[in-house]
Amino acid sequence: MTRQRWADLTGPRRGVLIAATVAQVGLQGATLWDLHRRPADFVRGPKAMWAALSFVNFAGPLAYAVLGRQGDPACIEPILYDLS
């Protein structure tokens, strides 16, 4: 199979590639953002490993969403201080 250039692709193929690229960047961005804000206690395994795996197309971010997250830190009750 010969390598195709962007100019050689049909409109629908270009659309599919653009959609796949947007989806991949979105999934990876969401994964990296979640890793940044989620405490290490709520991640299965090292955060650095999941960050590296997020660069594996589609499989990395989806694996993190299914296997890497544990619990939801938002459900932890905040500590309230009485400052009066």
Side-chain angles (χ1 to χ4, degrees):
M1 182 173 198
T2 61
R3 189 172 175 189
Q4 292 185 343
R5 294 177 165 224
W6 182 257
D8 297 335
L9 296 176
T10 63
R13 285 190 185 223
R14 286 182 185 182
V16 168
L17 283 175
I18 290 171
T21 301
V22 168
Q24 169 60 27
V25 170
L27 285 170
Q28 185 178 11
T31 297
L32 293 173
W33 177 256
D34 189 75
L35 276 169
H36 173 71
R37 62 173 274 282
R38 185 176 294 269
D41 295 342
F42 291 95
V43 176
R44 290 187 181 104
K47 283 182 155 190
M49 175 193 73
W50 287 111
L53 284 175
S54 75
F55 287 89
V56 177
N57 286 346
F58 295 104
L62 293 176
Y64 172 72
V66 174
L67 303 172
R69 302 176 344 151
Q70 109 183 355
D72 186 11
C75 68
I76 298 173
E77 302 234 357
I79 299 172
L80 300 176
Y81 297 100
D82 185 14
L83 299 175
S84 56

